[in-house]
Each structure stands twice: as structure tokens, then as C-alpha cells.
Amino acid sequence: DAKTTQPNSMESNEEEPVHLPCNHSTISGTDYIHWYRQLPSQGPEYVIHGLTSNVNNRMASLAIAEDRKSSTLILHRATLRDAAVYYCILIQGGSEKLVFGKGTKLTVNP
Amino acid sequence: DGGITQSPKYLFRKEGQNVTLSCEQNLNHDAMYWYRQDPGQGLRLIYYSQIVNDFQKGDIAEGYSVSREKKESFPLTVTSAQKNPTAFYLCASSFGRATGGVRGNQPQHFGDGTRLSIL
């Protein structure tokens, strides 16, 4: 399974943008980049996903490097409700399996 | 509202006992999944099913069993052979290949989990 690398933790202040990085240097051409987040004692929540082009939705933006070896999840204005563990996951084109790492724990300060 | 429901929220198992965790979805999804999460760790795949009456082992299937008799339901049984069952169990579903979904391009929707402990 393709591997991703994320920082263990990050901090942000409320109302400021947050850029959560993810490295995936072994990504293959058919791997989709997915982001999920998880609050304590809850199931993960889908945030966004993409293949090659940058993506925007109501929750966040996903910026994918031109060589696809890294990506960045962008929360445009962090709120206290955005405090969670964020997982960057590669899903291979031949599989529906999610392979979770340890993710990045985001702390949002008021 | 459509969603995915897991029950019970908390479950206790005695030594030598099998227990079954329920997972129901009304999202009309073909694919369903079971994951296990240990404290401070990411999720690990136990079993998954892409269509009714078919399922495949994930990375940690030993000591678990599943069935998929209905599209809406994917129960997980934790058997007495699973020696370390204490964990947070999560069920998920997605549109799959049966509905023409592009592989890797389908978000998964998760339930709120069942926390299993040993008495």
C-alpha cells in the first residue's frame, strides 16, 4: 500500500488559515489522494479528495503538487470545530481500501 | 436523512463469548467496510464487501467473521478466537464498482462506532 507522511501535530489560531501537508513520494498514476478527519470518539469524516488538479469544496481546498508527490489540505479560516486528527490517504486505482496512518492532530487556539 | 448506523455504542464481552456488532446504511451504497482502531492509532481494515453475498478479508481478519445477506446490512462478529478484541470498531460504506463507481474515487461514509471492552 502506498505510504503517506504527515506531521504528528500542528497548531493554529481561530480565524486563521491552516495548511496541513502530506508527502506521498511513492504515489502511482492511478492513486487518488483522500483526506478525512476524526473527532474524539467519533467516526472519520470525509473532507476532500483529488487526483491531479486542485479541488475545492465547502469544507476545504486540496492543493496537489505538479509531480503529485505531495499535497496540502487548506482550511481557509480555522474554527474550534476544526480541531481533529486529519488523515491523508492514498487509494489505489485498483482498490477501495483506505489505509490510515497516524494522521496530524490539529489544535485550534481561541 | 440518509446515513450509517452502528449499534450498540458500547459493548462488553465475556471470555469465550462471541459478540455481534450491527451496521446498517440507507445510502444505497454497494460497498461496506469494517475497521478497527486502537488508542492513538489509525484505522485498520478487518473485512470489506463490494456487493451482496460477497466479502473479502482485510489486513486483520483473524478472529472476526462477517455476512452480507442484504445490501443495507453488514454485521461483524468478534469471535472468541480474537484474543485482543478491546478496540473502537468503525463501519463505513461507499458507492462501489457495482454502481459504476471509479475505483479510488468514492468517499467512504462512517458510522459513529462501537466501543468493545472485555469484562
Side-chain angles (χ1 to χ4, degrees), chain B residues 20-103:
Chain B
T20 297
L21 284 61
S22 171
C23 179
E24 303 276 335
Q25 55 95 3
N26 60 2
L27 298 166
N28 199 31
H29 286 167
D30 286 293
M32 296 186 74
Y33 313 81
W34 275 105
Y35 295 88
R36 168 183 171 136
Q37 186 173 34
D38 293 286
Q41 305 295 316
L43 282 67
R44 292 183 291 167
L45 183 64
I46 304 172
Y47 268 99
Y48 64 105
S49 168
Q50 293 166 344
I51 200 166
V52 174
N53 293 323
D54 185 47
F55 48 83
Q56 289 80 40
K57 292 182 179 180
D59 300 318
I60 54 165
E62 186 174 351
Y64 300 98
S65 66
V66 293
S67 62
R68 187 85 189 277
E69 297 176 1
K70 298 187 300 181
K71 185 176 183 178
E72 300 79 16
S73 178
F74 191 41
L76 173 75
T77 296
V78 183
T79 74
S80 57
Q82 173 49 247
K83 297 307 179 189
N84 185 23
T86 298
F88 189 43
Y89 289 87
L90 289 152
C91 180
S93 69
S94 71
F95 286 113
R97 284 177 281 163
T99 50
V102 175
R103 296 183 187 186

Side-chain angles (χ1 to χ4, degrees), chain A residues 28-40:
Chain A
S28 72
T30 57
D31 288 351
Y32 283 82
I33 303 160
H34 284 238
W35 284 83
Y36 288 76
R37 69 183 186 182
Q38 186 177 24
L39 296 169

Side-chain angles (χ1 to χ4, degrees), chain A:
Chain A
D1 294 315
K3 181 178 171 61
T4 62
T5 304
Q6 299 176 254
N8 289 333
S9 62
M10 291 185 64
E11 275 194 50
S12 174
N13 296 320
E14 205 173 4
E15 304 289 315
E16 291 183 356
V18 181
H19 290 230
L20 296 163
C22 181
N23 287 321
H24 29 77
S25 58
T26 59
I27 192 171
S28 72
T30 57
D31 288 351
Y32 283 82
I33 303 160
H34 284 238
W35 284 83
Y36 288 76
R37 69 183 186 182
Q38 186 177 24
L39 296 169
S41 298
Q42 292 188 22
E45 175 188 27
Y46 165 77
V47 177
I48 200 167
H49 77 286
L51 183 62
T52 56
S53 303
N54 294 344
V55 184
N56 300 298
N57 67 20
R58 63 175 180 80
M59 292 181 70
S61 295
L62 176 61
I64 301 173
E66 196 169 333
D67 64 5
R68 301 210 325 127
K69 293 184 185 299
S70 66
S71 61
T72 302
L73 179 71
I74 303 165
L75 307 178
H76 296 285
R77 292 180 65 197
T79 70
L80 296 178
R81 287 176 296 179
D82 291 323
V85 177
Y86 286 79
Y87 296 100
C88 169
I89 298 162
L90 300 185
I91 301 184
Q92 296 167 332
S95 165
E96 288 83 22
K97 292 167 56 176
L98 299 179
V99 180
F100 285 77
K102 293 187 177 181
T104 296
K105 183 176 181 179
L106 175 66
T107 300
V108 180
N109 301 313

